[in-house]
Amino acid sequence: METGRMKSASETLIRILAFTLAISVMSATMFNIVLPEIRHEFGLSMSEVSWVTTSYLLVFAIGSVIYGKLSDRYNLKTLITVGFMTFIVGSMIGMLSEAYGMLIIARVLQAAGAAVIPAISGIIPVRYFPPEHRGRALGITMAGGAIGSAAGPAAAALLVSIVHWRMLFFMPLLTLLALPFYYRYLHDEKVGTSRMDWLGCSLLAGAVAMLLLSIANFSGVTAIMFVVLLVSFVWRIQRAATPFVKPDVFKNVHYSLGLAISFAMTGIGYSLAFLTPTLLTQVHVLRPGLSGIVMAPAAIAAALLSQSGGKMADNRGISFLFRIAASLFLLCFLLLSSFTGTSPIWLALFLILGGVGQAFMSIVLAKSISLSLPNEQSGVGMGLLSMLNFIAGAVFASLYGTMVDQGATQAWNPLITDSSAYVFSNIYFMLTVLIVAIAVLFIAFFNKKVMPKVRR
């Protein structure tokens, strides 16, 4: 009877988490639609208005690993309450903002609070679901993220057409609906008693900030500062009595390799969201609104099939789902490389393959990495995974942007004849080769027979 109640509570909890994640993703993506209006209202340059998004993502990435680490010391109810309240305060300030500086402060506070959501999205499936049911739990959370990704731009366009863009700050208030359920279904966890290494935390946060800033601004100074802070962070965790991240976690080959593979696969998948609007605008001459329509079916398919993917990971194994995910990824990028200039309708179908493949791949990697971690390292371990995924998006977006700006004089794929599509075809072809290399590496190291056994 008691086991049944705990299982029911976990099922309800994971659905509340999916709802919360959807709201978080929507809040992160909605403002991309209204950047032109914000720029006009405050008389900003493109580089200035981009900080509405950049500041959010920067704090969001850093905050996710900090909350992950704090979860190893404090119970999740406390962290969720602090995060949600900060999220709401930032949203209220945003709705009342009359100056650009006030708007940026609002977005920073929003991100500082919302960062608890990706952190708990990795932690709750690990702590509340046994390994044999963890894939399904991760699939449900992925579905929430996919729904938020699909609904964010559409909801933003609808709200802006009816009311002022500041009303986009209203969306996070919906997270308050979830707070009572977290209090009801989260049981009190055992928490650590070790001191928090705030110096190590600050060094890591500074290193991540400098890395993202150097990518955004192509600044040598911030790149040097990143190296200095990163070296200092490594020095700190090797000498501190209670380091922010125990160096031993990186000696876990499966965990470290899993992070590297996740970083690469996240960056590859980010091309679908980053390059597609530019491809549809430059090659197919579509308006932004129509570009969103082309991309929407992929997000919807990912949302509908994520839970099924999670069940496959549990019932058929991680390797089985990985082969499906990698095959969908390969087929998507091979088709995109070969038929970049074809009808947008075909592109929408290709993107469905990629969107579902990306969702399945995220489930595979999250479950693989979680299984390589002992419970006492699950918080910071999954927090680092979340942080690296954000960094991967920034790094690969910069690489893709540079490649598109440089263009291409010839196509590597002989099926491409439209010169305006050369550069996009070449990028997709390159990513196809990269997927093959990563797939071989994953199968070699994450085969079920050689997965490490850790203390759960």
Side-chain angles (χ1 to χ4, degrees):
M1 183 69 71
E2 183 66 24
T3 301
R5 284 198 296 268
M6 290 181 63
K7 183 177 180 181
S8 177
S10 297
E11 291 293 326
T12 303
L13 181 61
I14 204 66
R15 283 171 169 75
I16 295 299
L17 177 60
F19 166 78
T20 311
L21 187 60
I23 299 299
S24 171
V25 172
M26 288 179 68
S27 181
T29 58
M30 290 175 79
F31 281 85
N32 294 333
I33 300 294
V34 298
L35 289 182
E37 293 191 36
I38 296 174
R39 180 187 181 191
H40 175 74
E41 179 168 332
F42 292 108
L44 306 171
S45 65
M46 275 301 297
S47 60
E48 289 173 331
V49 78
S50 68
W51 275 99
V52 173
T53 299
T54 301
S55 61
Y56 188 96
L57 293 178
L58 192 154
V59 177
F60 204 54
I62 296 170
S64 62
V65 71
I66 294 176
Y67 279 114
K69 176 62 178 180
L70 290 173
S71 73
D72 292 331
R73 176 176 172 82
Y74 301 100
N75 64 56
L76 292 182
K77 288 180 182 178
T78 301
L79 298 180
I80 289 172
T81 301
V82 172
F84 281 20
M85 291 301 103
T86 306
F87 197 15
I88 299 305
V89 169
S91 300
M92 296 298 293
I93 292 174
M95 281 193 285
L96 300 173
S97 60
E98 294 295 336
Y100 177 62
M102 193 175 178
L103 177 63
I104 295 299
I105 291 173
R107 289 294 278 169
V108 168
L109 285 174
Q110 274 194 314
V116 73
I117 299 172
I120 64 174
S121 296
I123 295 168
I124 287 178
V126 173
R127 294 186 180 175
Y128 286 79
F129 289 84
E132 62 270 20
H133 298 303
R134 193 170 298 163
R136 178 173 168 274
L138 289 166
I140 294 173
T141 60
M142 294 295 173
I147 291 171
S149 178
L158 177 63
L159 282 173
V160 171
S161 66
I162 300 174
V163 295
H164 196 272
W165 61 262
R166 285 183 178 81
M167 288 305 296
L168 298 184
F169 281 103
F170 176 80
M171 185 63 65
L173 299 180
L174 296 176
T175 56
L176 291 177
L177 298 176
L179 192 56
F181 292 94
Y182 282 112
Y183 268 81
R184 179 176 179 180
Y185 293 107
L186 277 173
H187 58 72
D188 291 331
E189 309 92 0
K190 293 181 180 180
V191 295
T193 57
S194 60
R195 296 176 59 186
M196 178 70 169
D197 179 19
W198 288 110
L199 177 57
C201 171
S202 301
L203 290 171
L204 178 60
V208 173
M210 291 302 104
L211 174 61
L212 295 178
L213 289 174
S214 64
I215 293 170
N217 302 320
F218 301 100
S219 170
V221 175
T222 52
I224 293 172
M225 293 178 66
F226 159 69
V227 173
V228 171
L229 288 169
L230 182 62
V231 171
S232 300
F233 171 72
V234 173
W235 179 87
R236 172 66 183 178
I237 64 174
Q238 290 177 338
R239 287 162 177 77
T242 55
F244 183 73
V245 180
K246 293 182 178 179
D248 289 347
V249 73
F250 298 111
K251 296 177 182 179
N252 181 337
V253 175
H254 284 82
Y255 175 72
S256 297
L257 184 60
L259 287 183
I261 292 176
S262 180
F263 181 88
M265 281 299 193
T266 300
I268 292 171
Y270 195 74
S271 68
L272 300 177
F274 183 81
L275 286 177
T276 301
T278 306
L279 166 65
L280 294 172
T281 301
Q282 291 188 10
V283 178
H284 298 277
V285 199
L286 293 185
R287 298 191 305 273
L290 293 177
S291 297
I293 293 175
V294 173
M295 298 173 66
I300 295 172
L304 293 175
L305 296 175
S306 288
Q307 186 171 346
S308 298
K311 290 179 180 179
M312 280 190 282
D314 292 335
N315 298 332
R316 303 293 298 275
I318 293 173
S319 296
F320 177 80
L321 185 61
F322 176 82
R323 287 177 170 85
I324 293 177
S327 298
L328 291 172
F329 245 4
L330 272 175
L331 186 57
C332 170
F333 284 102
L334 188 59
L335 289 171
L336 285 173
S337 175
S338 303
F339 305 103
T340 308
T342 193
S343 167
I345 295 176
W346 285 107
L347 295 181
L349 295 176
F350 301 160
L351 291 173
I352 290 176
L353 297 174
V356 175
Q358 185 176 15
F360 285 2
M361 188 65 70
S362 297
I363 294 169
V364 167
L365 293 171
K367 183 170 182 177
S368 299
I369 290 171
S370 73
L371 291 175
S372 72
L373 288 167
N375 278 344
E376 63 270 17
Q377 294 179 343
S378 62
V380 69
M382 298 305 287
L384 285 170
L385 171 64
S386 178
M387 182 190 73
L388 280 178
N389 286 341
F390 288 114
I391 295 175
V395 170
F396 277 78
S398 177
L399 293 174
Y400 297 142
T402 301
M403 284 187 258
V404 170
D405 288 341
Q406 290 179 348
T409 57
Q410 59 182 7
W412 299 339
N413 191 319
L415 297 177
I416 297 297
T417 57
D418 184 355
S419 59
S420 65
Y422 282 176
V423 64
F424 297 99
S425 175
N426 290 351
I427 293 174
Y428 294 136
F429 185 85
M430 178 186 65
L431 295 178
T432 302
V433 175
L434 185 58
I435 291 169
V436 172
I438 295 173
V440 172
L441 187 65
F442 182 92
I443 292 171
F445 281 88
F446 283 88
N447 185 280
K448 184 177 180 180
K449 295 180 180 180
V450 299
M451 277 294 291
K453 294 182 179 180
V454 298
R455 179 165 56 86
R456 309 313 304 165

